[in-house]
Each structure stands twice: as C-alpha cells, then as structure tokens.
Amino acid sequence: MNEALFTANNLWMLVATTMVFIMHLGFASLEAGFVQSKNTVNILFKNSMIISIGLLTYYMYGFNLMYPGVNEGGVFGFGGFGLSLPAGESGDIAYAAGAYTYWTDFIFQGMFAATAATIVSGAVAERMKLNAFLIFAFIFLSVVYPVTGMWKWGKGWLDAAGFYDFAGSTLVHAVGGWAALAAVILLGPRHGKYTEAGIRPIPGHSMPFAALGVFLLWFGWFGFNGGSVLSANPLTVSLVFVTTALSGAAGAFTAFVSSWFLYKSHDLSMVLNGILGGLVAITAGADQMLPMQAILIGGVAGVLIPFSVVLFDKWKLDDPVGATSVHLVCGVWGTLAVGIFGSLAGWQQLWIQLYGSLAVGGFSFAMAFLVFWLLKKTIGIRVSAEAEKYGLDVAEHNMRAYYR
Amino acid sequence: MNEALFTANNLWMLVATTMVFIMHLGFASLEAGFVQSKNTVNILFKNSMIISIGLLTYYMYGFNLMYPGVNEGGVFGFGGFGLSLPAGESGDIAYAAGAYTYWTDFIFQGMFAATAATIVSGAVAERMKLNAFLIFAFIFLSVVYPVTGMWKWGKGWLDAAGFYDFAGSTLVHAVGGWAALAAVILLGPRHGKYTEAGIRPIPGHSMPFAALGVFLLWFGWFGFNGGSVLSANPLTVSLVFVTTALSGAAGAFTAFVSSWFLYKSHDLSMVLNGILGGLVAITAGADQMLPMQAILIGGVAGVLIPFSVVLFDKWKLDDPVGATSVHLVCGVWGTLAVGIFGSLAGWQQLWIQLYGSLAVGGFSFAMAFLVFWLLKKTIGIRVSAEAEKYGLDVAEHNMRAYYR
Amino acid sequence: MNEALFTANNLWMLVATTMVFIMHLGFASLEAGFVQSKNTVNILFKNSMIISIGLLTYYMYGFNLMYPGVNEGGVFGFGGFGLSLPAGESGDIAYAAGAYTYWTDFIFQGMFAATAATIVSGAVAERMKLNAFLIFAFIFLSVVYPVTGMWKWGKGWLDAAGFYDFAGSTLVHAVGGWAALAAVILLGPRHGKYTEAGIRPIPGHSMPFAALGVFLLWFGWFGFNGGSVLSANPLTVSLVFVTTALSGAAGAFTAFVSSWFLYKSHDLSMVLNGILGGLVAITAGADQMLPMQAILIGGVAGVLIPFSVVLFDKWKLDDPVGATSVHLVCGVWGTLAVGIFGSLAGWQQLWIQLYGSLAVGGFSFAMAFLVFWLLKKTIGIRVSAEAEKYGLDVAEHNMRAYYR
Amino acid sequence: MKKIEAIIRLSRFERVRDALAAIDIRFFTMTEVKGFGLQKGEHLTYRGSSYDADYIPRLQLEIVCPGEQVEEIVATLIAAARTGEVGDGKILVVDVEQMTRIRTGETGIEAL
Amino acid sequence: MKKIEAIIRLSRFERVRDALAAIDIRFFTMTEVKGFGLQKGEHLTYRGSSYDADYIPRLQLEIVCPGEQVEEIVATLIAAARTGEVGDGKILVVDVEQMTRIRTGETGIEAL
Amino acid sequence: MKKIEAIIRLSRFERVRDALAAIDIRFFTMTEVKGFGLQKGEHLTYRGSSYDADYIPRLQLEIVCPGEQVEEIVATLIAAARTGEVGDGKILVVDVEQMTRIRTGETGIEAL
Ligand SMILES: Nc1ncnc2c1ncn2[C@@H]1O[C@H](COP(=O)(O)OP(=O)(O)O)[C@@H](O)[C@H]1O
Ligand SMILES: Nc1ncnc2c1ncn2[C@@H]1O[C@H](COP(=O)(O)OP(=O)(O)O)[C@@H](O)[C@H]1O
Ligand SMILES: Nc1ncnc2c1ncn2[C@@H]1O[C@H](COP(=O)(O)OP(=O)(O)O)[C@@H](O)[C@H]1O
C-alpha cells in the first residue's frame, strides 16, 4: 500500500461523508415539503437536532458500540467511551490497510447514524410532541441503531451467519422504517385523515421542496452506497454508481407507470417516492448486481410504492411522508433481492437475508415500540388536538415558517 | 500507469458525475422558479422523468450509439445493446489508459445525456402536453443526442474534421437549444404573452428557486467541464475550474451592466441568465483558454443574453426560462469562440467551428421539428386553452404545488 | 513526490473549491430566508454579484495582494496584476511541493475571498442601497480582505508573530463580522424594529430557505476547513472533518438548550445560528483540536449566540440575519480558543491570538467604517423610508420575488 | 335577501362547514382575514425576542340567504363556531338589495 | 351609492377587467376568495388517494358606483363573466351610506 | 350599527392601527386586497420587458361600530391614512342590520 493510494482512498471516503451529510438536508427538505406549512418549523427543527444528537452520541459511545472490535460473532460489544486515535502506524495508513484513517472511519459512520432516526421523524410528523421525539431519537441512536449495526457491520452474529447488507437496506433503512411503523401505530393518525367519508388526503405544502429533497437524497446516495465500498476501488465504486443510478431511474419509471394505471394520475409524489424506493432497494446489494439487475430491483420497488402507500392508508397507518413504504417495504425488498439477483443469489442466501431482515426488523420494531409506549405512558407522545389543529410551529416553537 | 493514479483519476470522474447529476436539480429548480406556480408540479415531474428516461435509454443503447467504437470518422455507428464490462484488463485499468473504468465511462456520459432534453423542458413550459413531451424526450435522447454526440465525441466525421467542443457548448447545449427553438415555433406562445398592447411578461413565481437553480448549475458545471478532461490531470482540471468560474462571473457582471443600460433595471433574472450564458459559452473551450480569454468569452455571453431575450420576444418566440438565449445563442457563441480565442484560434478553426456548429444544430433542429410536427399532427402537443389557464398542475397532474 | 499523490492532493483542493462555492448558495439561501419577502430579490441579487465581483477582483489583483510572494513579515505586498502560470516545473508539481497547482491555488483562494463580503450583505439587508453596497463590496474585496489575509496567510507580520488562524475564524469571518458591525452602526436599524414599546422582531419570510442555507453552509464548511489543510493529507483532513462536524453539532445542541432556558422557546433560528456559530468558532483551530475540544469550542459558541443576538438588539444594532453574532463574536471566540485548547494552547499563544484578532478586527472595522462613511456622505447608503416600507425588490429591482 | 358575514376561528372551520351543510346551505364564500385587536395574537419568539403577533388569522364566511333564513343560519353558526373562549368572533347581517346569478342572469331568490 | 360585489371565475378575470374598462369603470378592488359548495372543487389526487377539493378558488370584485350605474355594470359583468357552465358565480348589490376619498376627504359621488 | 370599510395603503397600516387604538377602537378585521384601476400599479421589469402591474396591493379594514361613532372613526382614518398623493384609498360606510357575538350570542351594541 502506498501513500498516494491511501490518500485517494481516504479522500473518497471523506467526499462520500459530505454526500451522506447532504442526505440530511435531503430528508429535511423532503419532509418539510410533504407536511403542511403550519408544521414546517417543527420538522426542520427535528432534522437539525437529529444530526446534532446523532453525531454527539456516536462520538460518545455509538461508534464503539457498533464497531466494538470485541465479541466477534456476538450480539453486543462495547469498545469504550469516546474516540482515541490508535497509536503509531495503526492510527494512520495501517488502520484499514490504506483505505481510510481512524477519523475518517468515525465520521463516515457517524453521518450514517443519524439517518435512521430521520426516517422516523417524517413518519410521526404533524402530531408528535417535540420533547418525546427528541428523547426517542436519543435512545434509538444510542441503543437500537448501533446494536443492530454491530450484528452485521461490527462483525456480529449476522455477519458470521453470512447475511449481506452492503450499505444498509436493512441496517439503516428498514431499521428506521420498522421504528417508524411502531411509532405510527402508537401515535394514531392525524385528525381528519381517516373520516367516515373515507380517506381525506392532507397534501404536503410544497412540492418544490419535496422534489429538492429527493434530488439531494439521490445525490447523497452516491456517497452512501459508493462510500460503503470503504475504499476508492475504481471498478467497485463505479459499478455501485451505475447500479444506484439505474435503480433510482427504474423506480421513477415504474412508479410513474403503475400509478398511472392504478389512479389515472401523474402523481409527482409517487414518482418521487418511487425514486427513493429504488434507491433504498438497491442499497443492500449495490455492489453485487449487474446493471439490468439493478433496473429490475429498482423497478419492482417503484411498483411496490403505490401499492404500499395505499395499503398503509387502508390500515389507517398514517405516515405523512411515506417513510414506511419507502424505507421499510423497499428496504426489506432490497435485502431479499440480494438472495434473488446478483452474484450472491441462491436459496441459502435468500433464507439468510430473510431471517436477518426479520431479526433486525423485529428488534428495531420491538425496541421502538417499547420506547414509544413508555413515553406515551409518561410524558405523552402526542400534542393536544388544539395544538395539532393550530400547527406545531406555533404550538411547540412559537414561530411560523413563512411570513409575507 | 499505476493503481493510485488510476484510482485518483477515476475518483474525479465519479465525483464529477455526481456534480453533473446535481445539474438536473439545478435545471428543475431554475425552471420551477421561472414558471407560474400553477405549472410547478408539471415542470418538476418532467425533470424527474427526464433523468429516468435519459439514464435508462442511455443504458439500453444510447451509450453504444454515441461511443460505438466502430465507423470512426462516420456519421452513425452502433455498438450493440446494453452494457457489458470488457473482459480482463481492458475492463479495468487498461480501459482508458488508467483514466477511468468502463462503468465510470458509462455513468459520466449517461448523466450528460439527459441534460439536452431538460433544456427543451424549460422552453416548452406552461403549455405543452405531458405525454407529448415525454415521447419527444424519449426520441430525442434515443436518436438525436447520441448521434450528434458521436459525430464529435464518438470519433465521427466532425472529430475527423478537427471540430473542437471540449464539454459540449454545441453537443449538449446548442443541441438542446435548437430543439427548444423548434418546439417553441411549433407550440406557439403562452396565451396572453403577446397582446395587441405589447408584450405582457409572465413573471416566474419564485426567484429564490430560480437563484438556487443557477447556483446549483454553476456548482455542477465544475463537474461538467472539469470531468470532461476525462482524467484528474491536475493542471488541466484546475485550469478548467478557473476558466469556468471566471466566465460565469464575467457573464453575471456584463449582464448586470448591459441590462442596466438597456432597461434601467437591476433585473435578477437577467443576471442569473448571464451567469448561465457565461458558463455555456466557456464550455466548448474551457481547457483552451487563458483566464482573461475566459472572462472575454463569458463577458460577451453576458451581453448577448439581454439582447437575445428581447429579440426572441420580438419574434414572438415565447421561452419562459430563456433556454434558447442561454443554451442556443451562447452555445453557438462559445463554439465559435474556440476559433477566435485560445490555443486553437485561427481562421481555419473558426471555419470548422462554424460548420460543425451548423451541422449539429441543423440536424438537431430538423429532427426536433420533425418529431414535434408529427406529435402535433397526431396526439397534439399543446394543452387546451382552458387547461393552460387553469394550470398544468391540476389539468395534467390533479395536484397543486403549494398548499397553505 | 509522485504524480499520483499530486493528483489526489490537487483533486481534493478542487473538490473543496466547489464546496466553498456552494457556501455562497448557502449564504444566499440563509439570508433570503431571514429577510422579509419584499427584500428577497435584493438579497439574491447582492449575493450573485458578490461572487462575480469577488472572483474578478481576485483575478485582477486580489490574489497577488494576498499572496504577494514579496515582503515577508510585512504589512503589505503586491505581486503584480493578473495571473500567469509560472514556467516549467514550478507551474506544475513543484509549485506547492505536489499539493496543488497554481490554478488550483488561485481558484480555491478566490472562492474564499467573496465570503467576507457576503457576511456584510446579510447584516445590511432590507435597508441598504444596492449601488452603495456593490461599491463597498468592491472596495472591501479589493483592499481589506486581501491585505489582512496577507498579514497571516501571505506570510506577513502576524504570521511571523506566531498568530494562528487555520481556515479563517479571524481572516474571513471576523473580518466580515467587523465590517458588518461598522455598516450596521452607520446604517441604523430598520424602521419599526426598535419602538418605544420595545423590540419588535421582524421575522424572516421563509424558514425552509434559512434551514437550507445552514445545511449547505455546513456542507461547504467541510471544504472550507478541509481544503485549508492545503493537501489531501489523510490524517489531517479527516481530523478536520471530525472537529468541524462535532463543533457544529455541539453548537446546535447548546443553542437549543440555552435558548430554551433563556426564552422558553424552541427557536429554530437560534439553533441554525448555533450551528453556524460552532462552525465559525472551530475554523481557527480545526486541525489543532481533539474531538472533545471541538465539542467544547462549538458548545461555547452555541451559548454565545443567544446572548449576543439579544445583546446586539439591546444596543439597537439591527442585524437581520445575525451575522455579527455568528461571524464576529464566534470568530473572535474561535481565534482565542486556539490559545486555550488544543496543541497550541498557552498564555503566549493566547496573547498572540488576542492581539492578532484585535489588529485584524480593528483594521477591518476602521476601513469598513471609513468606506461606509464616505459613501454615506456622498451617494448615501440607505434607501428612502418609503422604499424600505415598500421593499427593496420593487424599489431597487422593479421585481417581486414571488408571484402566485 | 340578506348577507351574513361571519368571522370565525380557523380551528372551527370544518365544524361550521358541516353544520351549514346539515341545514342545507349549499354555497358560501370564504376569505382568509386577520383579526386585529385587544385579544392579542399568538405569543411568538424570534431570535430571542418574544412578542405577541398583533393579529390572529381568521376566516370570514359570506352567506347570502333569504331574510327568513337568517335566524336559523346565525343560530347554526353560533352553535358550530363557539368555544366559549374569548376570540370566537362575530356575525354580521347586512341587507342585500339585489342578487344575480351570472350563469343565467336570474335575480332574487331564484339566483340563490 | 351602491357597492357591487361579484364573485367570478379566475379564468374570466381578464375579460371582466377589460369589459369594465370599456364602460369606464376606473377602479375596483379584488380579493382572492374560496367558493365552497355543492359545485365540488377540482378533482385531485395525492399519494394514491383521490379527492375533490371542497372549494374552488374564485375572485371577488368590489365596485362602488352611483345607484343609476348599477344596471349597466351588472349587465357588463354578466356578459363578461359568463361561460354558461355551473359555477359562473353571483353578483350582489349592497347599499352604501357614505363614501369618502381619503386623499381629499370628499364624500359622495365626488369621492368616486 | 354600521360597518366601515377602508381601503388603505400598505405603508400606512401601522399608523392607522395606532390611531384607531388611540380612539379606543379595539377590534377590526383586515384583508389583503388588490386595487385595480387607472392609478397604474408598480412599474416592473422582467427579463427585459417592462410593464406596469395592473394592480396595487392594498389593505382593506373592516370596523363595525355604533352609528354615532362613524364620524370620529372616518376622521381618524383619513388623518392617519392620508399621504395626499393619488392612491390614498376610500372609506365606505355600510349599514349593518344585526351583529352577534359568537361566544355569548349577545346581539347589538353589547356584541361589539
Ligand atoms: N368591531 C369590529 N369590527 C370588525 N371586526 C371585528 C370587530 N370586533 C371583532 N371583530 C373581529 O372578530 C374577531 C373575534 O372577536 P373577539 O371580540 O375577539 O371575540 P369575542 O367576541 O369572543 O370577544 C376579531 O379578531 C376581529 O377580527
Ligand atoms: N348563497 C351564497 N352565499 C355566498 N356565496 C355564494 C352563494 N352562492 C354562491 N356563492 C358563491 O358563488 C360561487 C359560484 O356559484 P355557483 O352557484 O356555483 O354558480 P352558478 O350560479 O352558475 O350555479 C360559489 O363558489 C360561491 O363562492
Ligand atoms: N369605485 C371603486 N370601487 C371599489 N374600489 C375602489 C373604487 N375606487 C377606488 N377603489 C379602491 O381604492 C384604491 C385607491 O383609490 P384611488 O382612487 O387611487 O385613490 P385617490 O382617491 O387618492 O385617487 C384603489 O386601488 C381601489 O382599490
């Protein structure tokens, strides 16, 4: 390993870090666009605080919970509080065999961490108490995300079992999606969404911000998936770029076609969710697929989206931004797809993918349910009906998002 | 060629790819800002679908039409459907002499492809039928863009003739601009734009989104031009950054000054278009110019913009976002400028630039005219007057872009 | 030094350049969000022109004023007009010992330049005459920024004295902040801000744009600080990423907590300013701090913000976007912090940091005051009360930012 | 023919709309207005200064009806819009001299 | 002195404005309002659920004029605003007791 | 009971509000309206074409008051809203047959 290659590898990981950072802006914009204007400050506030909480907890203990360096093959490990640069060569070029430095390792993984909580943020929008959400995010990022992450990426039991999740269809997206599902169940729908007369959609207040968010997320995904190669290996990173781009493109296209057949409408919100669905789905196997397989995986995700959005609505599970459809449904699909398409495909792998997905999902759902339930019984998780009517911006923040 | 240099080169091409991707967001924001709010969903929808169509068609055959690897010096070639990694070394470091991988080649070029259609999207905004536009985009990206691209970048006849177009003032921007002109002619102006009482401007609904779009485009242009070096060669890429930055800056400045002299107003929309004009103009020769020459090229473009906007309006060619002025006029100017300034300057070169520009432009215009004309005669290209009044968002998408 | 490492280093500097470029969009969005909608075109216009003026003046003489290459240890030097690539090796790999090319040096530094003027733009928003501002920006970028920059980065007297300012807490942010203070003093508050009945806040018109701006600034800061390493050195750049991220996160958190204790409100505008405060503060010593020290520095900045915002308001210094609190107060704090925390800490260093900060600040304040005062006595710096009421968009630009 | 102008709370709109539908009021016009007054608006903070918005966003409904229906409509509005807290709003009744339906040119009761 | 209040379609605004100018109505005031009612608003879809907006955006024009001009203005409005389809809107005439021009303090017809 | 409708300049709003408070007018309703007319609106340019906005944004205030207070309020409005330039706006007085306070159901003067 030479210095120049080390520098190029590390450089890519850092650039990818900034792209993952931009995903937080993507989420913030998307969610802001998909809520009513009276709840916009609230969603922006939550997304700002999540990055802060995510980075700080990951610094304090999250990184060492997820990558404990001990208890390989196990379900839990802890490498100690804080960060300290390993001494000598092992803190420099030798740390990851010339792929990145210790600091890079932390900051790239730290940017990932907050994503899972952000997914929940969108699903509980427009009716959840701010303090309850922040406490949830803190616990979720302290316990659930790093622990399930350790199972696979921290060389825990799922990794030993052969489970494959390249960049986190399960470990990031489905983890967030399952928690979102738990939250939505306990929280109940927004007032006026499910009436006797049927479902009354509550349209988001700004499609430009929603579209801005999706494009930024797509941009960031090149760093999210491309950085998960964990080096700048030319062939692998470029393949990941191709599969990521084509899967998103296919998701857009099939969401467009299927929502036209289903609802006779050119629904922008569906196409945007279709792009995200394609991106979530390819994430588990972005480095294992050929272009055509990426198109198939994304294409299926784009069809799943309109069905699943409507299904969740039929079950009266009210998710203002479609987080469960995008991150949970397509996250599971993408995880399974690794056993169906690509170089790892096979019944054995499919089975591992299935139970890995269920194990992680079950743990995340159960823990999130527990936390939300405890919060509900204690400080309460839902704002008053009056505050919901009036909007969380004034009720929780004494601010408005827009003035003339 | 060593592994480290290969990695650094390829890394730059991939980063540049993401920056070109962001240009699609730039176009979407700019166009959204420059249309009325009642047509915002429509423009966002078109821009989302164009990326999808662009990437998928480029995967299916576009890449192999544009870079057929056969029929050098010719006008047409086809390398077969789909993508497949060349075997052995030729699919890796040897593919482009250590500059990038096969996959990188595809994805960088694929991101470029959709740009040309996006340019048309803005020009036909607020009155064109969605399905007709999508069919046009599909045909345009399948046939026109890759074929004219092949003439130069795919080692076709223009390349053999010595035509120079570094990053696509002609091959991307003017191609899109000529097609936009054809569309605008066949489509006719928006209702109420040209009245007996004179020109009634129809101002865009959001200057912040327009400005956001232009800044994002400028950002992306560093990847568009810088990536067109097709390696991370330090001196060339950094020179391209300098010329790109200075040309945009000069375009802003001269558009500011000239629109003040012409209209006694500090018109933000002109300054924004001036920046873009400067960027389009430098694109053909970004690697051939000294800084001062870049300033001159951008400066002339910034003056061309206010004149050409007004001229197109005088001819009753209604282009809501100024795509023809920016991409066509400045694209032609930039192509010619390669024969006037910089290391290639000379009468011989100027002559080649001129006929290359006309050949490509003529083909693009004729093909686009034909396609639009056929669409007009069959399914129709223009929405009903009632739908135009009401806005395409409700008429074509059953949605609104904004809710309180 | 080998070609590959040179390429990787130079690549990072160019990527960092694009990220610094995006900061201009960040500033434009943030400032647009924090002003009233009737002044939005004006702020976007100013920010567009500042980049243009900044790059062009930096090309013409700024670069050679700031890095004159003569008069080391002095207070002023000038290396001649324009740019010209040094001949032979010294214009290529040897220019900066393989870290970057001559062109890269210029463009990275040129992107920095405009930042200082942008800071002033926000502080004088909603009431300053456009032409007076543009003249100020021109003079400020021609004289003040490059000269004080030379004192430290151009190897002038402060550098010789041992002053440390890694990426510009003082040289960029405080320089801009002090000038902003001078401007605010001479300009006076917006009508209706300080009434007999007390302070009447004039809320910004779009929190989504404000938040978008802050996230983009944070993104750009990774290039601003990371690029200031002036090579892609893996360990240093990655440490800078960690300190930059954690300081911003800590600023958000403490601004959240302290504004809750102070005002019993979850004020998004405070959290956003807290993030920026943390980023400004870490800038002076981003490469000298351990993660925990970065958290402390950012944490203190996040507490300073709410106090200082209120203090400036008490002194009737009306700064619509909080530029003085963010860039001046936290810039000074960050500069001093280099003497308190990190590898340089010590009384001696603290003393140098203090007088360096005062020297630069004093010069910037005095020069800005002089320029504004001269402008006030000649063409006037403030729009008429009627124009202020009506909004600068119509009064100065004959445009509106929004239409339905 | 009378015109009833009611200024109500945002949060009561759905109730009022449904109550009007129940007594067969098929059409009305709504405008978003701002109510100024002693009531004091929302308590807001911005960048550390707290202040009371000097207005409260409200909805103004306009309903044209025959004179004899006024009483019923006013009673319905009160029932649906009332919370009992200060700030519930007002109902005005104004005389309308003539009403015309644009589509047909009919005037008077038929135009309703 | 009378006040004419007309509720019209968005799409007829330019015609109405020009028609009023043609009969020398030099000033009027416009408000953006929402028309609720049986008419059913636009048919919209969002994330797979389709629904009818319960209102249609409309414009309300207010024109103050001398009593004798009412007939002409109403006729002009009908001619310009009419499409013949349901939803063309209404025109009210209300009595104004007094009108004052702020600039001069003039009242009555001179204030027009 | 009368209703005063005043159409004023945006820039005079704060003065008017304070002047009303000074004569103890505690409540009023405000709507953002567009004034069309010969006055010509702002002179605007966009992408090189200049044009006059055909309207000027204005504010409409509605104040309900007992008949005997009309004169004082109108005088106050004129004093506060007047600039003396063309475009200062108008004040209408309309008769209100009945006013009801939603909170209590009181009508007439008590409802004020
Ligand atoms: N005299 C008035 N003229 C015009 N509008 C009024 C008047 N009085 C009240 N309003 C409107 O009614 C709204 C609510 O009235 P308010 O007096 O607060 O309710 P309550 O009758 O319960 O005390 C106010 O915000 C204002 O818009
Ligand atoms: N009784 C009413 N009171 C107040 N506004 C009304 C009333 N009837 C109709 N409107 C307004 O007029 C608009 C159009 O009326 P509509 O009855 O649909 O037209 P048409 O007369 O052609 O049937 C409605 O949207 C509503 O805003
Ligand atoms: N006849 C009218 N009917 C309705 N609104 C009117 C009428 N005349 C004037 N207005 C409103 O008053 C505003 C100002 O009136 P204008 O005549 O310009 O002021 P001035 O009385 O100083 O000449 C206009 O913009 C318009 O909104």
Side-chain angles (χ1 to χ4, degrees), chain A residues 307-320:
Chain A
F307 283 99
S308 110
V309 164
V310 168
L311 203 68
F312 281 117
D313 261 347
K314 193 172 275 168
W315 292 336
K316 300 201 170 35
L317 295 170
D318 182 22
D319 173 355

Side-chain angles (χ1 to χ4, degrees), chain B residues 121-293:
Chain B
S121 156
V124 301
E126 312 210 78
R127 58 205 190 284
M128 183 158 183
K129 273 190 183 170
L130 179 68
N131 56 5
F133 179 77
L134 293 179
I135 293 170
F136 163 77
F138 171 74
I139 299 174
F140 189 72
L141 289 174
S142 299
V143 182
V144 183
Y145 175 77
V147 167
T148 53
M150 182 269 177
W151 293 357
K152 162 65 192 149
W153 292 341
K155 303 201 189 305
W157 69 277
L158 271 177
D159 190 53
F163 180 69
Y164 195 77
D165 187 2
F166 173 60
S169 284
T170 287
L171 295 184
V172 179
H173 295 283
V175 159
W178 283 106
L181 183 64
V184 162
I185 291 172
L186 282 169
L187 205 50
R190 288 166 292 171
H191 281 294
K193 175 76 190 278
Y194 305 113
T195 66
E196 280 149 43
I199 297 168
R200 221 178 54 80
I202 304 176
H205 86 284
S206 171
M207 287 304 121
F209 271 109
L212 176 69
V214 169
F215 278 68
L216 289 175
L217 283 165
W218 198 343
F219 169 76
W221 230 287
F222 289 112
F224 192 90
N225 284 357
S228 294
V229 173
L230 299 178
S231 86
N233 183 295
L235 217 48
T236 318
V237 179
S238 59
L239 173 63
V240 166
F241 266 56
V242 172
T243 54
T244 302
L246 290 177
S247 187
F253 193 77
T254 57
F256 161 65
V257 173
S258 60
S259 69
W260 172 250
F261 277 108
L262 286 169
Y263 319 118
K264 295 282 164 280
S265 102
H266 301 301
D267 186 334
L268 178 63
S269 64
M270 280 297 179
V271 169
L272 295 177
N273 274 179
I275 291 171
L276 295 181
L279 294 170
V280 168
I282 197 62
T283 294
D287 63 334
Q288 303 293 335
M289 301 297 158
L290 291 174
M292 183 42 92
Q293 295 165 334

Side-chain angles (χ1 to χ4, degrees), chain E residues 1-4 25-30 61-66 99-104 106 110-112, chain F residues 6-9 33-40 55-60 83-92:
Chain E
M1 193 90 47
K2 304 288 169 190
K3 182 169 72 160
I4 301 173
I25 297 300
R26 302 148 47 114
F27 290 109
F28 62 91
T29 303
M30 185 190 93
L61 311 186
E62 294 181 38
I63 310 162
V64 184
C65 65
M99 176 167 194
T100 315
R101 159 171 288 160
I102 292 177
R103 176 160 51 90
T104 56
E106 294 159 295
E110 293 97 80
L112 269 182
Chain F
I7 294 175
I8 63 168
R9 293 175 186 276
V33 301
K34 296 179 174 172
F36 280 79
L38 289 187
Q39 65 222 351
K40 285 293 173 216
Y55 66 88
I56 303 188
R58 292 191 185 276
L59 301 177
Q60 172 169 328
T83 67
E85 308 272 309
V86 171
D88 276 350
K90 309 275 149 123
I91 303 172
L92 306 187

Side-chain angles (χ1 to χ4, degrees), chain D residues 1-4 25-30 61-66 99-104 106 110-112, chain E residues 6-9 33-40 54-60 83-92:
Chain D
M1 193 89 46
K2 305 288 170 191
K3 182 170 71 159
I4 301 174
I25 297 301
R26 303 151 45 118
F27 290 109
F28 62 92
T29 303
M30 184 188 92
L61 311 186
E62 295 182 38
I63 310 162
V64 183
C65 64
M99 176 167 194
T100 316
R101 157 172 290 159
I102 293 178
R103 176 160 50 91
T104 55
E106 295 158 294
E110 293 95 80
L112 270 182
Chain E
I7 293 174
I8 64 168
R9 293 176 186 277
V33 300
K34 295 179 174 172
F36 280 79
L38 288 187
Q39 65 224 350
K40 286 293 173 215
D54 45 6
Y55 67 87
I56 303 187
R58 294 194 184 274
L59 302 176
Q60 172 170 325
T83 67
E85 309 272 308
V86 171
D88 276 350
K90 310 274 148 122
I91 302 172
L92 307 186

Side-chain angles (χ1 to χ4, degrees), chain D residues 55-103:
Chain D
Y55 65 88
I56 303 188
R58 294 192 185 275
L59 301 177
Q60 172 171 326
L61 311 186
E62 295 182 38
I63 310 162
V64 183
C65 64
E68 58 275 18
Q69 230 186 322
V70 166
E71 213 168 312
E72 181 192 6
I73 294 178
V74 170
T76 305
L77 286 172
I78 290 179
R82 199 170 159 243
T83 67
E85 309 271 310
V86 171
D88 277 350
K90 310 273 150 125
I91 303 172
L92 307 185
V93 182
V94 172
D95 188 57
V96 171
E97 299 204 337
Q98 178 194 314
M99 176 167 194
T100 316
R101 157 172 290 159
I102 293 178
R103 176 160 50 91

Side-chain angles (χ1 to χ4, degrees), chain B residues 404, chain D residues 6-8 10 30-36 55-62, chain E residues 31-33, chain F residues 28-33 60 62:
Chain B
R404 294 265 201 121
Chain D
I7 293 175
I8 64 167
L10 296 186
M30 184 188 92
T31 316
E32 289 161 10
V33 300
K34 295 178 175 173
F36 280 79
Y55 65 88
I56 303 188
R58 294 192 185 275
L59 301 177
Q60 172 171 326
L61 311 186
E62 295 182 38
Chain E
T31 317
E32 288 161 10
V33 300
Chain F
F28 62 90
T29 303
M30 186 190 92
T31 316
E32 288 162 9
V33 301
Q60 172 169 328
E62 295 182 38

